[in-house]
Amino acid sequence: MAEIINGKLVSQAKREELKSRVLRLNEDGVEVGLAVIIVGNNSASRVYVNNKKKGCEEIGVNSFEYALPEETTQDQLLDLIAELNEDRRVDGILCQLPLPKHIDEQAVINAINPQKDVDAFHPFNVGHIMIGDYTFLPCTPAGIMEMLKFYNISVSGKKCVVIGRSNIVGKPMAMLLLKENGTVEICHSRTENLKEECLTADILVAAVGKAYFVTADMVKDDAVVIDVGMNRNEEGKLCGDVCFDEVSLKASYITPVPGGVGPMTITMLLENTVRAAETYKLAE
């Protein structure tokens, strides 16, 4: 039976560390601030934004919310980002995705100052992740690495299979595992013999976005299984990409959904925001 990787426990430990770092910054006369932009009335986005505000309050970071109407133009949004880029109170800028269809998401990402890009989506920061010389990391992959570290799960020399090739999770996840000396393979919808590839994994990361996609016959004995999925099953309950009940009987470690990777994502956003203040404000 697998040991459960408790994301809530790891997240709380990380937030205690962040509180201490914010206090040290405050003692040096540095306030830390995160600006969050939400456009429109997406209910899931509203939940995420509220959770980010609570996280800021918990560790002592100032949060600035900019709730814009659905009909906001791209130029109006870009003007706001330009103002926030110059705002000394703001260390991190996050524009909640998805945006309304009339707004080009990549243009918005590109407009954020890379030194305030706490999602680590700007091409400048993506490039630094590729060469292993970075200030910010994408929050979900960074959270996964934090959990592996917390549970003393070594990546070095292990075969790591990532299912999913998104810019947000799959690709950066592969880079972070590679940096820790894992032997990494990215699988996706066009991968032939996917089951056989997954069965080679010492560490299997499922980031597919399909409920219960990974079954026990795809997982080798004693593998570490990380479930990034956030889906709803037929009963409307939150579930992952992994069939938890059956896979947990084979794996050595496994993340649950909810309570696994999810709590780490916002915590690592806070980590990036604090790091921005430490890196750029203290250096002035």
Side-chain angles (χ1 to χ4, degrees):
M1 186 73 182
E3 182 173 346
I4 305 299
I5 297 176
N6 187 334
K8 291 180 181 177
L9 178 67
V10 184
S11 173
Q12 198 53 52
K14 185 67 180 178
R15 290 190 187 201
E16 290 300 321
E17 176 207 314
L18 290 171
K19 276 186 200 175
S20 299
R21 287 161 61 187
V22 171
L23 278 173
R24 285 198 296 272
L25 285 164
N26 292 165
E27 288 167 1
D28 289 333
V30 175
E31 293 280 320
V32 186
L34 173 66
V36 180
I37 305 168
I38 180 171
V39 184
N41 300 306
N42 183 300
S43 57
S45 291
R46 171 44 62 192
V47 170
Y48 288 136
V49 167
N50 289 345
N51 286 337
K52 287 162 186 170
K53 287 172 69 176
K54 287 178 186 173
C56 285
E57 289 171 14
E58 183 182 339
I59 69 164
V61 168
N62 299 318
S63 65
F64 309 100
E65 181 184 314
Y66 298 85
L68 307 179
E70 184 86 17
E71 60 272 17
T72 298
T73 67
Q74 181 168 311
D75 284 345
Q76 287 171 326
L77 178 54
L78 294 177
D79 286 344
L80 172 59
I81 289 171
E83 290 175 20
L84 295 174
N85 282 339
E86 299 300 323
D87 191 333
R88 292 274 304 146
R89 301 172 303 160
V90 174
D91 298 284
I93 301 170
L94 182 145
C95 190
Q96 185 66 46
L97 305 178
L99 290 167
K101 290 182 179 178
H102 65 277
I103 297 177
D104 180 348
E105 288 187 354
Q106 194 58 52
V108 171
I109 290 168
N110 291 351
I112 295 172
N113 181 341
Q115 294 185 358
K116 298 189 178 188
D117 169 40
V118 288
D119 262 333
F121 290 165
H122 192 288
F124 178 89
N125 288 323
V126 172
H128 274 276
I129 292 163
M130 282 292 296
I131 62 174
D133 171 29
Y134 45 75
T135 301
F136 305 128
L137 291 172
C139 301
T140 299
I144 292 168
M145 298 307 292
E146 194 76 21
M147 289 193 296
L148 294 175
K149 179 181 172 185
F150 188 91
Y151 280 85
N152 295 312
I153 298 169
S154 174
V155 173
S156 183
K158 303 288 179 60
K159 174 66 180 292
C160 307
V161 174
V162 179
I163 316 174
R165 52 179 166 177
S166 73
N167 291 333
I168 294 173
V169 179
K171 290 177 187 175
M173 187 75 251
M175 290 301 102
L176 298 192
L177 291 166
L178 187 63
K179 189 172 191 297
E180 293 300 316
N181 300 313
T183 300
V184 183
E185 179 177 357
I186 302 178
C187 295
H188 47 78
S189 58
R190 302 290 179 89
T191 300
E192 295 182 3
N193 304 315
L194 177 62
K195 174 182 170 182
E196 287 74 13
E197 299 298 343
C198 292
L199 281 167
T200 68
D202 300 307
I203 299 174
L204 180 64
V205 181
V208 188
K210 293 183 180 179
Y212 309 127
F213 182 83
V214 176
T215 50
D217 62 347
M218 298 170 68
V219 178
K220 82 173 185 179
D221 290 342
D222 295 326
V224 176
V225 179
I226 306 295
D227 190 349
V228 187
M230 292 285 281
N231 314 297
R232 296 281 175 184
N233 63 17
E234 293 176 356
E235 298 160 6
K237 291 183 178 178
L238 197 63
C239 66
D241 290 348
V242 175
C243 292
F244 180 88
D245 290 345
E246 59 182 71
V247 172
S248 62
L249 299 176
K250 292 185 74 176
S252 57
Y253 290 87
I254 191 169
T255 60
V257 177
V261 174
M264 293 302 301
T265 299
I266 291 175
T267 297
M268 300 315 289
L269 169 72
L270 299 172
E271 159 71 30
N272 282 345
T273 305
V274 174
R275 185 175 295 176
E278 291 171 336
T279 303
Y280 299 115
K281 273 187 177 170
L282 282 183
E284 292 176 351

